[in-house]
Amino acid sequence: ERSGGGYGMTTVQQISLEEEIALIRRGAEEIFPYEELIEKLKKSRTTGKPLRVKLGVDPTGTDLHLGHLLPVMKLRQFQELGHQAVLIIGDYTAMVGDPTGRNKARPQLTHEQVVENCRTYQDQVFKILDPEKTEVVYNGQWLGKLGFQDIVKLMAQMTVARMLEREDFAKRFANQVPISLHEMLYPLMQGYDSYAVKADVELGGIDQKFNILVGRDIQRSMGLEPQVGVCNPILIGTDGVEKMSKSLGNYIGINEAPEDMYGKVMSIPDELMLSYYELITTVSMEEIGRIKTGLENGSVHPRDAKRRLAREIVARFHGVSAASYAEEQFDLVFKQNSIPDDIPEFSISASDMTDGRIWIVKLMVLTGLASSNGEARRLIKQGGVKLDGTPVTDDNLELQISDSMVLQVGKRKFARVLPSR
């Protein structure tokens, strides 16, 4: 029942070149060089040979959010246009860590940690991609075979001056923040990936432009036709200000419950709606144009447009029936001010308490309503926590667990707390 992708196209022969280009341009912030993409598409149609479209993902964590998935959705679109999707799992690049956008070096992961993260990554991206039509490779297959001479030859492709053109490195250098040599290897490793899989197109966020250009240089130096970059914008989070990020708490996770996903979409500022429609849903651009006109002339209420957006996004990851149920539960909470039907229950054991009482912050973490003590304290200070419908204002509160007390964070997250028997 999960919709998975769909722009309604299955093979490139069904549409014109102009229509194919329009689909690829949807949600793309920059295509470079654009003229080369046109030539590659024409050649593909003439020869009948699909383009090899590369997306590399580094399993540095276990959970993905919508911001991570923008290039995955674009890769699905290329699949539906009949091209070959090549998903590179960066088991070696993840051990280095992409320095893009970082003001300090990433913590280095062991190969064992990366491999463990890989399992959940594939489960999540295949909610979007067609696994039967996806070529999955690990870059350790080729990077792990490079000898010292190979690495020296690869490093000779890049000058220190050009590396310091990167905004993140330039800022760190100016602020005297250390830049480790292994971080400078990262763009070269990503570029070598493009050579190894013979990529015609590489996908990524606009913050990946430098790395994608390095891939073009390496391919050219090794006798291949350079790839084209297709970059999506950076997705703004639910706060309407910052890049979507787990650390900022403004994210929508793709493994979240349908009700939570629906509620988070409903919380985004109105001005983000149209970009979310374009970047995340499969609603046609013509229909999005009509929604935009309706919002401008008042014939479409922002609430109704956002409700449809929430349904579209939840349906894409959880199916249509889950989206309908999530909407019902949202209405139950927001319109009728009721507690949802099926909230999770947690039995608190004596070992979690001190003298029969438990700290409210600890309880929020144990029930999963907060990811850390710091987040729990912040939510309480922001007035977002209720106990049996009464706001909690003291983050030092010690509770005695009574039968069936309900802890609530925001409008969407609930936990029924029970004493252990």
Side-chain angles (χ1 to χ4, degrees), residues 57-74:
V57 294
D58 284 350
T60 52
T62 56
D63 296 317
L64 300 177
H65 56 61
L66 294 183
H68 294 131
L69 279 192
L70 293 188
V72 179
M73 295 174 189
K74 181 59 69 176

Side-chain angles (χ1 to χ4, degrees), residues 376-412:
R377 286 182 182 275
R378 185 169 64 253
L379 289 166
I380 292 170
K381 289 176 180 176
Q382 291 172 347
V385 180
K386 292 182 180 180
L387 184 63
D388 291 333
T390 302
V392 175
T393 58
D394 182 6
D395 60 3
N396 292 314
L397 180 65
E398 299 279 342
L399 295 172
Q400 184 172 359
I401 303 299
S402 60
D403 282 344
S404 198
M405 65 168 48
V406 175
L407 193 60
Q408 178 181 352
V409 171
K411 291 286 190 179
R412 302 181 301 275

